[in-house]
């Protein structure tokens, strides 16, 4: 589309990610929806949830997080076994048939936890490392087979890859301690994923720009990480923040579950899903910094930013100022699935605005579907 003269010409300019043509730069940031069934299969409700957003004018929906290990908690949609491919194929086929949005799967693995115990990266055995690598490789292959247009490796927040990348990774077996050691797992995962999906299949990654915890990664480390990832050949880098276990506050979940400390209860959690008391676009500077770092190193890797970007005007300014290449939206799309369509048609006033009350996040913490309390249709 020629977007010249449009009010939001940057937002609606197409972009190519390793040959995958997105019609615009508005993507649904991964949003654990809670609509899978107890076996981790897609349900009509889940399909409808994403379809409404895909039809709402997005360039791409990133489904997630999609579990790739065999553990059953938390209740996520899954690609941890071949048995899930069929349902996922029906899901992607529907998105492709009824919208012109692309669909990507965010692949997640996490460390074990119990009621009073959380595994750290330093506790992982060599066998577990090999298993985890396999999860990513098989998960990516299944996503490709199921018709996803792309995969995103979840390397942000408090999960496995972020834990390898963390300064708290003190492993002495080559998978930690030094910068190269901390990068080793993600390098091997990416190489093996790339090997199975082939050179033309888009593989992105989500990382933290800043962990927002004491002794966590800051831009000082993440600049090096982003540059290395671009050099490795990742097809996009999505920049998130926080969401760590180290400062999580305990909650008593309403549902029976062994997960009393979701990584979204402390300050770092708030940085991940910035509430109304934080400024608009509060994390954009992280994406802008990493994008600048990558560009200066000679890489054109597209960068996604997300976090409290409420209205098209703010999103357009972020793109115009060269702070990011794509805009990720999560809570604004829970509130209004047609955010992008209304922006494209310059019907800004019709956009139902997210209040960033984080009621959806509370719901997620308690293991319930994370819909918006103000959007009765979900
Ligand atoms: C209910 C909910 C679930 C989320 N689940 C995920 C997830 O599974 N993976 C992930 O990387 N980010 C997840 N996020 C973070 C979002 O992708 C996004 O980065 C964050 O909410 C900031 O964007 P926003 O201000 O547009 O909501 C979730 C956010 C919300 C609100």
């Amino acid at each position: 589309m020629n977007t010249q003269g449009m009010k939001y010409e940057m937002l609606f300019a197409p972009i190519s990610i390793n040959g995958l043509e997105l019609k615009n730069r508005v993507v649904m940031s991964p949003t654990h929806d809670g609509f899978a069934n107890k076996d981790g299969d897609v349900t009509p409700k889940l399909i409808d949830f994403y379809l409404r957003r895909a039809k709402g004018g997005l360039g791409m929906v990133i489904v997630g997080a999609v579990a790739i290990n065999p553990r059953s908690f938390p209740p996520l949609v899954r690609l941890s076994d071949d048995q899930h491919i069929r349902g996922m194929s029906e899901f992607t086929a529907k998105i492709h048939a009824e919208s012109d949005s692309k669909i990507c799967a965010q692949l997640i693995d996490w460390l074990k936890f119990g009621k009073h115990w959380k595994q750290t990266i330093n506790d992982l055995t060599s066998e577990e490392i090999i298993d985890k690598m396999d999860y990513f490789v098989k998960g990516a292959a299944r996503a490709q087979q199921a018709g996803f247009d792309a995969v995103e490796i979840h390397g942000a927040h408090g999960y496995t890859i972020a834990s390898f990348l963390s300064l708290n990774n003190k492993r002495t077996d080559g998978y930690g301690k030094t910068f190269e050691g901390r990068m080793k797992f993600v390098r091997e995962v990416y190489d093996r994923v790339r090997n199975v999906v082939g050179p033309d299949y888009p593989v992105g990654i989500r990382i933290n720009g800043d962990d927002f915890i004491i002794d966590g990664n800051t831009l000082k480390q993440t600049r090096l990480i982003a540059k290395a990832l671009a050099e490795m050949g990742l097809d996009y880098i999505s920049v998130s923040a926080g969401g760590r276990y180290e400062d999580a506050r305990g909650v008593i979940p309403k549902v029976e579950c062994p997960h009393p400390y979701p990584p979204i209860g402390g300050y770092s959690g708030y940085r991940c899903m910035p509430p109304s008391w934080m400024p608009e676009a509060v994390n954009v500077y992280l994406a802008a910094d990493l994008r600048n770092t990558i560009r200066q190193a000679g890489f054109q890797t597209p960068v996604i930013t997300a976090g409290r970007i409420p209205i098209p005007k703010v999103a357009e300014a972020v793109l115009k100022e060269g702070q990011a290449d794509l805009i990720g939206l999560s809570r604004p799309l829970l509130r209004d699935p047609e955010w992008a369509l209304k922006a494209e048609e310059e019907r800004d006033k019709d956009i139902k605005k997210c209040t960033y009350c984080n009621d959806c996040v509370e719901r997620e913490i308690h293991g319930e579907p994370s819909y918006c309390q103000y959007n009765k249709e979900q």
Side-chain angles (χ1 to χ4, degrees), residues 359-376:
D359 183 72
C360 54
V361 178
E362 283 298 315
R363 236 186 278 286
E364 193 205 4
I365 291 176
H366 291 287
E368 296 169 7
S370 44
Y371 57 84
C372 170
Q373 62 173 329
Y374 300 109
N375 176 10
K376 296 284 178 256

Side-chain angles (χ1 to χ4, degrees), residues 44-222:
K45 178 90 211 162
L46 181 145
I47 295 175
D48 186 55
F49 172 82
Y50 283 103
L51 188 58
R52 290 188 59 213
R53 279 140 189 103
K55 282 181 172 173
L58 298 174
M60 180 163 77
V61 289
I62 306 175
V63 177
V66 176
I68 51 171
N69 64 40
R71 289 196 296 280
S72 61
F73 189 85
L76 297 166
V77 66
R78 317 186 66 78
L79 273 171
S80 49
D81 190 283
D82 288 351
Q83 76 188 46
H84 302 292
I85 295 174
R86 192 159 154 212
M88 284 295 219
S89 303
E90 287 166 13
F91 174 28
T92 60
K94 194 142 175 109
I95 298 284
H96 287 140
E98 296 188 31
S99 81
D100 49 8
S101 168
K102 305 299 184 211
I103 179 164
C104 169
Q106 185 193 47
L107 307 179
I108 187 172
D109 178 64
W110 61 92
L111 300 172
K112 292 178 188 157
F113 45 76
K115 273 200 166 123
H116 305 290
W117 170 80
K118 167 105 187 44
Q119 187 179 39
T120 74
I121 202 66
N122 303 313
D123 307 328
L124 272 190
T125 64
S126 325
E127 291 75 28
E128 283 175 307
I129 292 184
I130 293 167
D131 285 349
K132 284 178 179 303
M133 220 165 299
D134 258 21
Y135 298 151
F136 279 101
V137 176
K138 290 192 177 133
R142 291 186 189 115
Q144 189 180 32
Q145 203 184 328
F148 282 93
D149 298 300
V151 289
E152 175 176 296
I153 295 169
H154 198 337
H157 310 151
Y159 309 110
T160 300
I161 291 184
S163 306
F164 273 108
L165 294 175
S166 160
L167 282 181
N168 283 330
N169 173 0
K170 311 286 188 214
R171 297 185 68 93
T172 53
D173 60 352
Y175 285 98
K177 216 165 172 190
T178 62
F179 174 72
E180 269 315 317
R182 294 191 293 271
M183 286 295 296
K184 184 172 163 64
F185 182 78
V186 73
R187 269 189 202 285
E188 292 179 1
V189 164
Y190 174 71
D191 285 350
R192 290 189 52 194
V193 165
R194 177 57 77 203
N195 207 25
V196 298
V197 298
D200 302 330
Y201 190 71
V203 180
I205 190 163
R206 190 162 217 215
I207 58 166
N208 274 355
D210 193 312
D211 287 339
F212 289 110
I213 50 162
I214 292 167
D215 292 336
N217 287 343
T218 68
L219 279 169
K220 183 173 171 189
Q221 290 75 34
T222 61

Side-chain angles (χ1 to χ4, degrees), residues 29-32 64-65 106 154 157 206 240 272-274 306-308 328-332 356 360-361 364 370:
S29 198
T31 308
H32 172 212
Q106 185 193 47
H154 198 337
H157 310 151
R206 190 162 217 215
S240 188
C272 178
M273 299 161 205
R308 218 176 151 345
L329 301 176
S330 177
R331 292 165 296 173
Y356 297 99
C360 54
V361 178
E364 193 205 4
S370 44

